[in-house]
Amino acid sequence: MAGKDTVVNVYTIQYPGEKPAFHPHAILNRVFVKKGDMYQVESIENTYTGLTQMTAFRYVNIKLAEVPHTNKLDCYIQLMPTTKYSFALEGVTNYTGGDWGVQGDVAFQNNNFWKSASIWGVKIKGGWQAQTLLSSETSNTHSVNKNLGLNTID
């Protein structure tokens, strides 16, 4: 499948498919290498740091190539995105003071919210814990009722 090219300002962005997965400005806001500027290692490092901090990309590579018969360099930035969506389930049992319980989490995350390479997520937690109940049969004696099972929900 052949890709398409998009030109934004002085940058050429190549991507596979018919539509870009990210808005170009979301990426270019983190690119500190500018056309016509002198080579500075800090610009490359800042670009690499900025793109890896986005967490929308699992692979970031910056390649410099000499332009034949000149004293100029071309800069190629290769990005491989992470999966767009992630879903997680987690379950835990616990034992507190002789009482058993269970807890669970369900999480959903979008790693490219509105094509801006930003993260949006939601997490729901729930638990069910047994609770020892004290009941009074007489005014001086207390007995423990453990026959209720898991009786506390949060």
Side-chain angles (χ1 to χ4, degrees), residues 46-105:
N46 290 340
T47 299
Y48 184 82
T49 300
L51 292 172
T52 55
Q53 286 177 347
M54 292 176 87
T55 66
F57 304 108
R58 63 179 169 184
Y59 176 78
V60 176
N61 184 38
I62 299 175
K63 177 182 167 186
L64 299 171
E66 289 185 38
V67 177
H69 310 296
T70 68
N71 62 349
K72 296 184 179 187
L73 296 171
D74 279 340
C75 180
Y76 299 94
I77 301 173
Q78 300 170 317
L79 304 171
M80 183 178 296
T82 59
T83 56
K84 184 171 181 182
Y85 302 107
S86 63
F87 181 76
L89 291 171
E90 181 180 322
V92 177
T93 60
N94 53 30
Y95 184 75
T96 306
D99 297 325
W100 286 95
V102 293
Q103 179 180 328
D105 300 345

Side-chain angles (χ1 to χ4, degrees), residues 107-129:
F108 170 79
Q109 184 170 305
N110 182 337
N111 293 319
N112 188 17
F113 193 58
W114 287 336
K115 292 187 174 186
S116 63
S118 59
I119 295 174
W120 178 86
V122 62
K123 186 173 189 177
I124 299 172
K125 292 181 162 205
W128 199 11
Q129 178 74 41

Side-chain angles (χ1 to χ4, degrees), residues 29-34 37-53 62 64 73 75 77:
N29 287 338
R30 304 285 182 118
V31 175
F32 299 98
V33 179
K34 306 295 181 199
D37 284 354
M38 296 290 290
Y39 170 79
Q40 293 179 355
V41 72
E42 294 84 16
S43 297
I44 301 295
E45 290 172 348
N46 290 340
T47 299
Y48 184 82
T49 300
L51 292 172
T52 55
Q53 286 177 347
I62 299 175
L64 299 171
L73 296 171
C75 180
I77 301 173

Side-chain angles (χ1 to χ4, degrees), residues 4 10 13 38 73 117 138 140 151:
K4 297 236 177 185
V10 296
I13 301 173
M38 296 290 290
L73 296 171
T138 66
N140 295 331
N151 56 7

